[in-house]
Amino acid sequence: MSDVEKDLTEPRCGASDQGGQVPQVDVLSARDVPLGGPRAMTVRRTLPQRSRTLIGAWCFIDHYGPDDVADTGGMDVAPHPHIGLQTVSWLFSGEIEHRDSLGSHALVRPGELNLMTSGYGISHSEVSTTRTTTLHGVQLWVALPEEHRHTGRDFQHYVPGPVRLDGAEVRVFLGTLAGDTAPVRTFTPLLGAELVLAPHSTTTLAVDAGFEHGLLVDSGEVRMAGTSLHPAELGYLGTGNDTLTLTNDADIAARVVLLGGTPFEEQIVMWWNFIGRSHEDIVEARKAWQNASDRFGEVDGYDGDPLPAPALPNATIAPRKNPTRH
Ligand code: MN
């Protein structure tokens, strides 16, 4: 679920005091965004923000929990539409029931990838199950490139086996890392993986030098190419690096999510749950949703009404683009 508010955070730049050949890592901090629902579960959003729209085709990073659902009410997102993107659900704990207009009915569980492709249009609902006591995970979006953004709806489920390295355990849910490749189709070159870093460990991973990377810290204190990151922060490293070194100096394990991809050069227009290329794309999609068009289909089995779209802004919705690297 997206929203329409403004973002105000600016990155701090790390490792610059070290000079020399140390890669520059930008540190992006999260802002808290209420998701809606009865007791307004809050998520920590690190993408998009003013200073960065995309990392590869990754365009949306929401991080939440660990939340006691007795306090937050858990997740209850009524049927809502998407265009032009894929959603990636990845949990650390808890369980979410997914229903979509393709007819998919799936349980999202820790360590299991659920990848939904909206293509031209899909709708879905997400509700944490009554078995869930603690909800903790990430919700990610991937922008579809122009030539595939009107593709058909799709839903894929994949459980990566853990890859055990000296000092890290890796689960590759999209792309290739640590000798493992996820057999899941993406529309641009992408990487998505969870890593658990052992206490007092340093792990150097071979990565694609054509990729830019984002490292979201879930728990622990981690250094990404020498730059310290705190929980909920996102480290950004640009292209041109064929290794990535992660360090955990603490006495307890740390958990991170590593995302990457080739820079996505197209300008996108993001509004609510839609990714298009123009203001007109957004207006058309909103109208289709409000008119219950076949474009988005119907979600069976959700107890409640679909979400209405918010009002459009009076101004033309501007494209988002990444700033030039400094
Ligand atoms: Mn959604």
Side-chain angles (χ1 to χ4, degrees):
M1 272 298 295
S2 185
D3 59 67
V4 294
E5 38 66 76
K6 295 276 188 288
D7 50 76
L8 299 168
T9 47
E10 294 292 337
R12 79 184 145 85
C13 296
S16 53
D17 54 336
Q18 297 178 25
Q21 301 302 308
V22 177
Q24 168 85 48
V25 173
D26 290 343
V27 182
L28 306 172
S29 47
R31 62 189 193 284
D32 291 340
V33 178
L35 260 197
R39 275 166 284 183
M41 175 182 159
T42 297
V43 300
R44 298 179 290 274
R45 186 163 299 161
T46 42
L47 212 65
Q49 54 180 286
R50 178 171 301 184
S51 60
R52 179 144 298 279
T53 301
L54 293 145
I55 298 176
W58 297 101
C59 60
F60 187 87
I61 301 176
D62 271 0
H63 177 211
Y64 52 87
D67 289 332
D68 183 342
V69 300
D71 295 332
T72 63
M75 184 180 288
D76 184 356
V77 184
H80 59 279
H82 288 290
I83 66 166
L85 58 83
Q86 294 178 293
T87 63
V88 173
S89 304
W90 183 261
L91 288 180
F92 307 125
S93 63
E95 187 180 61
I96 294 169
E97 188 171 28
H98 163 98
R99 297 174 185 273
D100 66 39
S101 57
L102 192 65
S104 317
H105 179 205
L107 291 173
V108 180
R109 296 191 175 108
E112 303 184 1
L113 171 76
N114 286 274
L115 177 68
M116 184 182 78
T117 302
S118 77
Y120 183 64
I122 199 168
S123 54
H124 73 139
S125 62
E126 299 152 290
V127 180
S128 50
T129 63
T130 53
R131 283 189 288 272
T132 299
T133 53
T134 301
L135 198 57
H136 188 189
V138 290
Q139 175 78 23
L140 314 167
W141 292 359
V142 174
L144 293 174
E146 176 63 30
E147 61 177 323
H148 295 296
R149 70 187 180 100
H150 298 309
T151 189
R153 300 167 188 162
D154 190 35
F155 185 82
Q156 295 178 75
H157 176 260
Y158 169 61
V159 184
V163 178
R164 293 193 174 85
L165 306 176
D166 185 21
E169 188 173 273
V170 185
R171 286 177 167 78
V172 183
F173 54 81
L174 286 177
T176 297
L177 187 70
D180 193 32
T181 297
V184 177
R185 186 186 180 196
T186 63
F187 294 88
T188 53
L190 281 182
L191 170 64
E194 175 188 317
L195 294 90
V196 175
L197 307 172
H200 305 288
S201 69
T202 294
T203 303
T204 297
L205 300 156
V207 294
D208 189 324
F211 278 23
E212 49 188 354
H213 291 92
L215 187 79
L216 177 71
V217 177
D218 173 62
S219 63
E221 304 283 326
V222 174
R223 279 186 287 130
M224 177 191 200
T227 296
S228 291
L229 299 171
H230 307 300
E233 288 184 331
L234 176 70
Y236 170 80
L237 182 64
T239 58
N241 299 284
D242 56 15
T243 60
L244 175 61
T245 298
L246 305 178
T247 307
N248 176 14
D249 290 323
D251 293 333
I252 54 167
R255 178 161 49 201
V256 298
V257 175
L258 179 62
L259 305 175
T262 52
F264 192 87
E265 306 289 356
E266 298 172 39
Q267 283 197 356
I268 59 174
V269 175
M270 293 180 75
W271 183 81
W272 195 41
N273 296 304
F274 302 140
I275 296 182
R277 295 295 180 277
S278 67
H279 178 84
E280 290 68 33
D281 284 350
I282 302 298
V283 171
E284 191 178 286
R286 183 184 182 280
K287 187 174 170 188
W289 176 246
Q290 294 301 87
N291 293 338
S293 149
D294 289 346
R295 177 168 183 177
F296 298 108
E298 285 185 23
V299 177
D300 290 330
Y302 179 81
D303 184 16
D305 294 329
L307 280 180
L312 285 164
N314 289 321
T316 300
I317 305 164
R320 281 181 172 268
K321 54 187 171 187
N322 276 325
T324 312
R325 287 285 297 167
H326 46 82

Short mmCIF file of all heavy atoms in Angstrom, two decimals, residues 107-147:
data_model
loop_
_atom_site.label_atom_id
_atom_site.label_comp_id
_atom_site.label_asym_id
_atom_site.label_seq_id
_atom_site.Cartn_x
_atom_site.Cartn_y
_atom_site.Cartn_z
N LEU A 107 -0.69 -18.23 1.40
CA LEU A 107 -0.20 -17.78 2.69
C LEU A 107 1.25 -17.36 2.52
O LEU A 107 2.07 -18.11 1.99
CB LEU A 107 -0.31 -18.89 3.73
CG LEU A 107 -1.75 -19.23 4.13
CD1 LEU A 107 -1.79 -20.46 5.02
CD2 LEU A 107 -2.44 -18.05 4.82
N VAL A 108 1.53 -16.14 2.93
CA VAL A 108 2.90 -15.61 2.88
C VAL A 108 3.54 -15.94 4.22
O VAL A 108 3.04 -15.54 5.27
CB VAL A 108 2.88 -14.09 2.65
CG1 VAL A 108 4.29 -13.54 2.59
CG2 VAL A 108 2.10 -13.74 1.38
N ARG A 109 4.64 -16.71 4.16
CA ARG A 109 5.29 -17.15 5.40
C ARG A 109 6.76 -16.76 5.40
O ARG A 109 7.34 -16.50 4.34
CB ARG A 109 5.19 -18.67 5.53
CG ARG A 109 3.77 -19.19 5.66
CD ARG A 109 3.81 -20.66 6.06
NE ARG A 109 2.48 -21.19 6.32
CZ ARG A 109 1.84 -22.04 5.51
NH1 ARG A 109 2.42 -22.44 4.39
NH2 ARG A 109 0.63 -22.48 5.80
N PRO A 110 7.38 -16.72 6.58
CA PRO A 110 8.80 -16.34 6.65
C PRO A 110 9.67 -17.19 5.74
O PRO A 110 9.51 -18.41 5.67
CB PRO A 110 9.14 -16.57 8.13
CG PRO A 110 7.84 -16.37 8.84
CD PRO A 110 6.80 -16.94 7.91
N GLY A 111 10.57 -16.52 5.03
CA GLY A 111 11.52 -17.23 4.18
C GLY A 111 10.95 -17.71 2.87
O GLY A 111 11.60 -18.45 2.15
N GLU A 112 9.72 -17.29 2.54
CA GLU A 112 9.08 -17.73 1.30
C GLU A 112 8.76 -16.51 0.45
O GLU A 112 8.06 -15.60 0.88
CB GLU A 112 7.79 -18.50 1.61
CG GLU A 112 8.04 -19.70 2.51
CD GLU A 112 6.78 -20.54 2.75
OE1 GLU A 112 5.71 -20.20 2.19
OE2 GLU A 112 6.88 -21.53 3.49
N LEU A 113 9.25 -16.51 -0.78
CA LEU A 113 8.98 -15.39 -1.69
C LEU A 113 7.57 -15.50 -2.25
O LEU A 113 7.16 -16.56 -2.72
CB LEU A 113 9.96 -15.43 -2.87
CG LEU A 113 9.62 -14.43 -3.99
CD1 LEU A 113 10.01 -13.02 -3.58
CD2 LEU A 113 10.28 -14.82 -5.29
N ASN A 114 6.84 -14.40 -2.20
CA ASN A 114 5.59 -14.29 -2.94
C ASN A 114 5.73 -13.07 -3.84
O ASN A 114 5.91 -11.95 -3.37
CB ASN A 114 4.40 -14.17 -1.99
CG ASN A 114 4.09 -15.51 -1.35
OD1 ASN A 114 3.37 -16.32 -1.89
ND2 ASN A 114 4.69 -15.75 -0.19
N LEU A 115 5.68 -13.35 -5.14
CA LEU A 115 5.92 -12.32 -6.15
C LEU A 115 4.67 -12.18 -7.00
O LEU A 115 4.29 -13.11 -7.71
CB LEU A 115 7.11 -12.74 -7.03
CG LEU A 115 7.45 -11.82 -8.20
CD1 LEU A 115 7.99 -10.49 -7.70
CD2 LEU A 115 8.45 -12.49 -9.13
N MET A 116 4.04 -11.02 -6.93
CA MET A 116 2.84 -10.77 -7.71
C MET A 116 3.15 -9.76 -8.81
O MET A 116 3.70 -8.70 -8.53
CB MET A 116 1.73 -10.22 -6.81
CG MET A 116 0.40 -10.03 -7.55
SD MET A 116 -0.87 -9.32 -6.48
CE MET A 116 -0.39 -7.59 -6.48
N THR A 117 2.81 -10.13 -10.03
CA THR A 117 3.00 -9.22 -11.16
C THR A 117 1.66 -8.61 -11.52
O THR A 117 0.72 -9.33 -11.85
CB THR A 117 3.58 -9.98 -12.37
OG1 THR A 117 4.82 -10.59 -11.98
CG2 THR A 117 3.81 -9.05 -13.54
N SER A 118 1.60 -7.29 -11.44
CA SER A 118 0.32 -6.63 -11.78
C SER A 118 0.15 -6.54 -13.28
O SER A 118 -0.96 -6.66 -13.79
CB SER A 118 0.28 -5.22 -11.20
OG SER A 118 1.06 -4.32 -11.98
N GLY A 119 1.27 -6.31 -13.99
CA GLY A 119 1.14 -6.00 -15.41
C GLY A 119 0.16 -4.87 -15.61
O GLY A 119 0.18 -3.88 -14.86
N TYR A 120 -0.75 -5.05 -16.55
CA TYR A 120 -1.71 -4.00 -16.92
C TYR A 120 -2.68 -3.68 -15.77
O TYR A 120 -3.14 -2.54 -15.65
CB TYR A 120 -2.49 -4.47 -18.15
CG TYR A 120 -3.47 -3.46 -18.67
CD1 TYR A 120 -3.04 -2.24 -19.18
CD2 TYR A 120 -4.85 -3.74 -18.67
CE1 TYR A 120 -3.96 -1.31 -19.67
CE2 TYR A 120 -5.77 -2.82 -19.17
CZ TYR A 120 -5.31 -1.61 -19.66
OH TYR A 120 -6.21 -0.70 -20.15
N GLY A 121 -2.98 -4.71 -14.94
CA GLY A 121 -3.87 -4.42 -13.81
C GLY A 121 -4.20 -5.66 -13.02
O GLY A 121 -4.45 -6.73 -13.58
N ILE A 122 -4.16 -5.53 -11.70
CA ILE A 122 -4.52 -6.62 -10.78
C ILE A 122 -5.09 -5.95 -9.54
O ILE A 122 -4.88 -4.75 -9.30
CB ILE A 122 -3.28 -7.48 -10.44
CG1 ILE A 122 -3.68 -8.87 -9.90
CG2 ILE A 122 -2.35 -6.77 -9.44
CD1 ILE A 122 -2.52 -9.86 -9.82
N SER A 123 -5.81 -6.71 -8.74
CA SER A 123 -6.17 -6.23 -7.40
C SER A 123 -5.91 -7.35 -6.41
O SER A 123 -5.94 -8.53 -6.77
CB SER A 123 -7.62 -5.74 -7.34
OG SER A 123 -8.52 -6.72 -7.80
N HIS A 124 -5.62 -6.95 -5.16
CA HIS A 124 -5.35 -7.97 -4.14
C HIS A 124 -5.63 -7.43 -2.74
O HIS A 124 -5.74 -6.22 -2.53
CB HIS A 124 -3.91 -8.49 -4.24
CG HIS A 124 -2.83 -7.56 -3.79
ND1 HIS A 124 -1.74 -7.96 -3.06
CD2 HIS A 124 -2.68 -6.21 -3.94
CE1 HIS A 124 -0.95 -6.94 -2.81
NE2 HIS A 124 -1.48 -5.86 -3.32
N SER A 125 -5.76 -8.37 -1.80
CA SER A 125 -5.90 -8.02 -0.39
C SER A 125 -4.83 -8.75 0.40
O SER A 125 -4.32 -9.79 -0.03
CB SER A 125 -7.29 -8.42 0.13
OG SER A 125 -7.47 -9.82 0.04
N GLU A 126 -4.46 -8.17 1.55
CA GLU A 126 -3.43 -8.75 2.41
C GLU A 126 -3.89 -8.62 3.86
O GLU A 126 -4.12 -7.50 4.33
CB GLU A 126 -2.11 -7.99 2.25
CG GLU A 126 -1.52 -8.00 0.86
CD GLU A 126 -0.68 -6.77 0.56
OE1 GLU A 126 -1.26 -5.66 0.43
OE2 GLU A 126 0.54 -6.90 0.49
N VAL A 127 -4.00 -9.77 4.53
CA VAL A 127 -4.51 -9.78 5.90
C VAL A 127 -3.64 -10.72 6.73
O VAL A 127 -3.45 -11.88 6.35
CB VAL A 127 -5.98 -10.28 5.91
CG1 VAL A 127 -6.52 -10.28 7.34
CG2 VAL A 127 -6.86 -9.41 5.02
N SER A 128 -3.13 -10.24 7.86
CA SER A 128 -2.37 -11.15 8.72
C SER A 128 -3.34 -12.15 9.34
O SER A 128 -4.47 -11.83 9.68
CB SER A 128 -1.58 -10.38 9.78
OG SER A 128 -2.39 -9.46 10.46
N THR A 129 -2.88 -13.40 9.45
CA THR A 129 -3.77 -14.46 9.93
C THR A 129 -3.94 -14.40 11.44
O THR A 129 -3.14 -13.79 12.15
CB THR A 129 -3.22 -15.85 9.56
OG1 THR A 129 -1.96 -16.02 10.23
CG2 THR A 129 -3.02 -15.98 8.06
N THR A 130 -4.99 -15.06 11.94
CA THR A 130 -5.26 -15.06 13.39
C THR A 130 -4.17 -15.81 14.15
O THR A 130 -4.00 -15.60 15.35
CB THR A 130 -6.62 -15.71 13.68
OG1 THR A 130 -6.67 -17.00 13.06
CG2 THR A 130 -7.75 -14.85 13.14
N ARG A 131 -3.42 -16.69 13.45
CA ARG A 131 -2.31 -17.40 14.09
C ARG A 131 -1.12 -16.48 14.39
O ARG A 131 -0.22 -16.84 15.12
CB ARG A 131 -1.78 -18.49 13.16
CG ARG A 131 -2.62 -19.72 13.08
CD ARG A 131 -1.89 -20.82 12.30
NE ARG A 131 -1.82 -20.54 10.87
CZ ARG A 131 -2.76 -20.89 9.99
NH1 ARG A 131 -3.84 -21.52 10.40
NH2 ARG A 131 -2.62 -20.61 8.71
N THR A 132 -1.12 -15.30 13.73
CA THR A 132 0.04 -14.42 13.83
C THR A 132 0.05 -13.66 15.15
O THR A 132 -0.92 -12.99 15.49
CB THR A 132 0.03 -13.43 12.66
OG1 THR A 132 0.10 -14.17 11.45
CG2 THR A 132 1.20 -12.46 12.74
N THR A 133 1.16 -13.76 15.88
CA THR A 133 1.30 -12.95 17.10
C THR A 133 2.29 -11.80 16.88
O THR A 133 2.11 -10.71 17.38
CB THR A 133 1.80 -13.81 18.28
OG1 THR A 133 2.99 -14.50 17.88
CG2 THR A 133 0.75 -14.83 18.68
N THR A 134 3.33 -12.06 16.08
CA THR A 134 4.32 -11.03 15.77
C THR A 134 4.43 -10.91 14.25
O THR A 134 4.63 -11.90 13.56
CB THR A 134 5.69 -11.41 16.34
OG1 THR A 134 5.57 -11.56 17.75
CG2 THR A 134 6.73 -10.32 16.04
N LEU A 135 4.30 -9.68 13.77
CA LEU A 135 4.38 -9.44 12.33
C LEU A 135 5.65 -8.64 12.05
O LEU A 135 5.90 -7.61 12.67
CB LEU A 135 3.14 -8.68 11.87
CG LEU A 135 2.82 -8.69 10.39
CD1 LEU A 135 2.67 -10.12 9.86
CD2 LEU A 135 1.53 -7.91 10.14
N HIS A 136 6.44 -9.15 11.10
CA HIS A 136 7.77 -8.58 10.89
C HIS A 136 8.21 -8.94 9.49
O HIS A 136 8.28 -10.12 9.14
CB HIS A 136 8.72 -9.21 11.93
CG HIS A 136 10.07 -8.62 11.98
ND1 HIS A 136 11.10 -9.17 12.72
CD2 HIS A 136 10.60 -7.52 11.40
CE1 HIS A 136 12.19 -8.44 12.60
NE2 HIS A 136 11.91 -7.42 11.80
N GLY A 137 8.48 -7.94 8.67
CA GLY A 137 8.92 -8.25 7.31
C GLY A 137 9.08 -7.02 6.44
O GLY A 137 9.19 -5.89 6.95
N VAL A 138 9.14 -7.26 5.16
CA VAL A 138 9.25 -6.17 4.19
C VAL A 138 8.24 -6.37 3.07
O VAL A 138 7.88 -7.50 2.73
CB VAL A 138 10.67 -6.06 3.57
CG1 VAL A 138 11.67 -5.57 4.59
CG2 VAL A 138 11.13 -7.36 2.94
N GLN A 139 7.81 -5.24 2.51
CA GLN A 139 6.97 -5.24 1.32
C GLN A 139 7.70 -4.37 0.30
O GLN A 139 8.02 -3.22 0.57
CB GLN A 139 5.60 -4.65 1.66
CG GLN A 139 4.67 -4.47 0.47
CD GLN A 139 4.03 -5.77 0.02
OE1 GLN A 139 3.91 -6.72 0.81
NE2 GLN A 139 3.64 -5.84 -1.23
N LEU A 140 7.97 -4.95 -0.85
CA LEU A 140 8.80 -4.29 -1.85
C LEU A 140 8.07 -4.23 -3.18
O LEU A 140 7.28 -5.12 -3.48
CB LEU A 140 10.10 -5.10 -2.04
CG LEU A 140 10.82 -5.55 -0.76
CD1 LEU A 140 11.88 -6.60 -1.08
CD2 LEU A 140 11.45 -4.36 -0.07
N TRP A 141 8.38 -3.19 -3.96
CA TRP A 141 7.84 -3.11 -5.32
C TRP A 141 8.98 -3.03 -6.31
O TRP A 141 10.03 -2.42 -6.04
CB TRP A 141 7.00 -1.86 -5.53
CG TRP A 141 5.71 -1.78 -4.78
CD1 TRP A 141 5.16 -2.71 -3.94
CD2 TRP A 141 4.80 -0.67 -4.82
NE1 TRP A 141 3.96 -2.24 -3.44
CE2 TRP A 141 3.72 -1.01 -3.97
CE3 TRP A 141 4.80 0.55 -5.48
CZ2 TRP A 141 2.64 -0.13 -3.77
CZ3 TRP A 141 3.74 1.42 -5.29
CH2 TRP A 141 2.66 1.07 -4.44
N VAL A 142 8.72 -3.61 -7.48
CA VAL A 142 9.62 -3.55 -8.62
C VAL A 142 8.88 -2.89 -9.78
O VAL A 142 7.78 -3.32 -10.13
CB VAL A 142 10.04 -4.98 -9.03
CG1 VAL A 142 10.88 -4.95 -10.30
CG2 VAL A 142 10.78 -5.69 -7.91
N ALA A 143 9.47 -1.87 -10.37
CA ALA A 143 8.86 -1.22 -11.55
C ALA A 143 9.06 -2.10 -12.77
O ALA A 143 10.15 -2.65 -12.98
CB ALA A 143 9.49 0.15 -11.78
N LEU A 144 8.02 -2.25 -13.56
CA LEU A 144 8.15 -3.00 -14.82
C LEU A 144 8.64 -2.06 -15.92
O LEU A 144 8.20 -0.91 -16.01
CB LEU A 144 6.80 -3.60 -15.21
CG LEU A 144 6.25 -4.70 -14.29
CD1 LEU A 144 4.85 -5.09 -14.72
CD2 LEU A 144 7.17 -5.90 -14.28
N PRO A 145 9.54 -2.57 -16.79
CA PRO A 145 10.01 -1.74 -17.89
C PRO A 145 8.91 -1.54 -18.93
O PRO A 145 7.96 -2.32 -19.00
CB PRO A 145 11.18 -2.55 -18.46
CG PRO A 145 10.84 -3.97 -18.12
CD PRO A 145 10.11 -3.92 -16.79
N GLU A 146 9.07 -0.50 -19.74
CA GLU A 146 8.05 -0.13 -20.72
C GLU A 146 7.53 -1.32 -21.53
O GLU A 146 6.33 -1.52 -21.68
CB GLU A 146 8.63 0.94 -21.68
CG GLU A 146 7.72 1.36 -22.81
CD GLU A 146 6.43 2.04 -22.31
OE1 GLU A 146 6.47 2.69 -21.24
OE2 GLU A 146 5.40 1.91 -22.99
N GLU A 147 8.46 -2.15 -22.01
CA GLU A 147 8.03 -3.23 -22.92
C GLU A 147 7.24 -4.33 -22.21
O GLU A 147 6.63 -5.17 -22.88
CB GLU A 147 9.23 -3.83 -23.66
CG GLU A 147 10.25 -4.44 -22.74
CD GLU A 147 11.40 -5.10 -23.51
OE1 GLU A 147 11.15 -5.69 -24.57
OE2 GLU A 147 12.56 -5.00 -23.05
#
